[in-house]
Amino acid sequence: MELSAHFAEAEIIRYEDDFLFIINENEAEQAFLAKLDQIFFRYGISRNHNKTEILNAASEFKFIGITYKKGIVSLGEEKMKQWKIRVIEDIKKQFRDFAIVKSLQPGIEIPSNIKIVNTIWKDHKKGLRSKTYRHSLRIKGINEGKGLVA
C-alpha cells in the first residue's frame, strides 16, 4: 500500500501497522481521515477510531514509544536507561571478542578502545535498537504551524 501516492501533501511515518501523518494546518482533518478510510477499505482494512488522534504539532504526543514535546524527541528515562545498558553490553562484548582475537593472533591490529566505543554508540544510534534516532529527524520536521494525525 503506497500511501504516499495518495497523500502527496502529507509526511507519512509508518512503523508496522502504526502511522503518523503530518499534514498542513490548512488541510481539512475530517476529509483527510475520510480519504484514508476509503483507501484502507480498498485493501480490506480499517482504521481504529479509538486510537486515532488529531493533534497540533505543538502538543505533546507519543508515537511508537517515542515522546515528542515541543520539538524535543525522547524515549523517556526508563527506555533510555535500557538502551544505554544494551549499548554498554555490546561494548563489553566487543572488548571480549577483540581480546580473544588478540590472544589467538598476537600481531593483529586492534582498534583503540575509544574507536570501539564511538563506533558502537554510532551504530546503535543508526541501528534497529534506536527508534528514537530513526524517527526523530522526521518528527523534528514538524513545525508548530502543521496539523497532525496520529
Side-chain angles (χ1 to χ4, degrees):
M1 174 173 29
E2 290 291 327
L3 287 173
S4 57
H6 301 282
F7 296 105
E9 70 283 359
E11 175 74 22
I12 303 169
I13 301 171
R14 178 179 179 190
Y15 184 78
E16 295 180 4
D17 65 344
D18 293 320
F19 296 90
L20 174 68
F21 294 92
I22 303 165
I23 61 174
N24 188 303
E25 69 178 357
N26 298 327
E27 186 83 26
E29 292 132 354
Q30 295 307 318
F32 184 90
L33 291 173
K35 183 178 177 182
L36 180 64
D37 288 339
Q38 288 174 349
I39 294 165
F40 280 179
F41 181 77
R42 280 188 246 155
Y43 289 95
I45 58 177
S46 62
R47 175 174 55 87
N48 184 335
H49 296 272
N50 294 330
K51 290 177 65 178
T52 301
E53 295 179 72
I54 298 174
L55 309 164
N56 182 293
S59 305
E60 179 177 344
F61 65 92
K62 272 190 164 181
F63 179 67
I64 59 168
I66 300 170
T67 301
Y68 175 87
K69 184 177 180 179
K70 296 181 182 177
I72 299 170
V73 179
S74 69
L75 281 174
E77 281 186 50
E78 188 58 36
K79 286 190 177 191
M80 188 58 80
K81 283 179 191 176
Q82 293 170 0
W83 181 74
K84 286 179 181 181
I85 287 168
R86 288 191 301 264
V87 173
I88 290 167
E89 288 170 355
D90 282 357
I91 290 168
K92 289 177 181 178
K93 182 184 179 309
Q94 189 72 65
F95 284 165
R96 284 191 305 270
D97 291 350
F98 277 131
I100 291 169
V101 169
K102 188 73 169 169
S103 69
L104 296 172
Q105 294 182 333
I108 196 164
E109 182 83 18
I110 301 290
S112 68
N113 287 352
I114 193 72
K115 183 169 176 103
I116 293 168
V117 170
N118 288 341
T119 300
I120 291 172
W121 276 109
K122 185 177 176 182
D123 288 347
H124 271 270
K125 283 184 177 180
K126 292 190 294 188
L128 293 175
R129 288 188 176 173
S130 176
K131 287 189 267 184
T132 301
Y133 187 78
R134 288 185 290 130
H135 296 287
S136 65
L137 295 178
R138 294 179 79 183
I139 294 173
K140 280 182 181 178
I142 300 171
N143 294 323
E144 286 191 20
K146 291 188 176 181
L148 182 68
V149 177

